[in-house]
Amino acid sequence: MNSENLMKLAAQAADDKKAQDIVVLNMQGVSPIADYFVICHANSDRQVQAIAKEIKDKADQQQIYVKRMEGYDEGRWVLIDLGDVVAHVFHRDERSYYNLERLWGDAPIEFIELAAE
C-alpha cells in the first residue's frame, strides 16, 4: 500500500471512531520522518484510545506492520507509527498545547474526502 492510501486508511479509521478536526499534513520534502502526519483529537482518554486502536486494527487488517504505538495507556497523546504515515491522536487539551500544525506550519495541508458511515 502506498503512503497516500495508508494516510487515507488512518484518517478514515479515525473518522469512523468520531475523531474531531482531522488534519493531514503532507510532510514530503519537509521532513524525513514520514510522508504524512494524520492529526486528530477526542474529548476523553477512552475515545483517544478507541481511535488509536481503530487505526491499529485497520492497519493490521491490511497486513500493515505498526512499527510503534506510544502513549496508549495514558490516552492523552497516542502516536501510531505506520512507517510512511504517523498518526497523532490527541486529547483535546494536549492538541492545543502541542499544536503540531503550527510546529510543522511549512507542511501543506492535504485535503481528503472521508466516506460516510
Side-chain angles (χ1 to χ4, degrees), residues 6 12 20 48 83 89 97 104 115:
L6 184 54
Q12 186 65 58
Q20 296 183 359
V48 168
V89 184
Y97 178 78
W104 293 100

Side-chain angles (χ1 to χ4, degrees), residues 6 9-10 13-14 16-17 49-66 69 72 80 82:
L6 184 54
L9 180 135
D16 290 348
K17 288 296 178 180
Q49 291 171 329
I51 294 165
K53 185 176 182 319
E54 184 73 5
I55 293 170
K56 182 185 182 311
D57 289 349
K58 293 293 184 185
D60 288 345
Q61 288 172 9
Q62 296 295 317
Q63 299 177 342
I64 296 162
Y65 175 67
V66 176
M69 186 158 83
Y72 181 84
I80 305 114
L82 302 166

Side-chain angles (χ1 to χ4, degrees), residues 8-51:
K8 289 177 182 176
L9 180 135
Q12 186 65 58
D15 187 60
D16 290 348
K17 288 296 178 180
K18 309 293 187 231
Q20 296 183 359
D21 196 16
I22 300 170
V23 174
V24 176
L25 299 181
N26 186 331
M27 302 302 289
Q28 298 173 66
V30 177
S31 172
I33 296 170
D35 289 345
Y36 297 98
F37 279 180
V38 176
I39 304 167
C40 63
H41 74 267
N43 293 320
S44 72
D45 299 356
R46 285 196 177 172
Q47 188 182 11
V48 168
Q49 291 171 329
I51 294 165

Side-chain angles (χ1 to χ4, degrees), residues 66-115:
V66 176
K67 295 180 182 233
R68 131 190 276 155
M69 186 158 83
E70 295 184 11
Y72 181 84
D73 291 337
E74 296 81 14
R76 304 300 287 180
W77 176 4
V78 182
L79 182 144
I80 305 114
D81 184 351
L82 302 166
D84 292 333
V85 175
V86 177
H88 301 269
V89 184
F90 286 98
H91 188 283
R92 179 188 59 239
D93 300 334
E94 272 68 19
R95 183 171 185 177
S96 60
Y97 178 78
Y98 289 104
N99 200 353
L100 290 186
E101 293 96 324
R102 186 176 58 83
L103 179 65
W104 293 100
D106 49 343
I109 294 175
E110 192 82 15
F111 293 98
I112 58 168
E113 279 193 44
L114 299 171

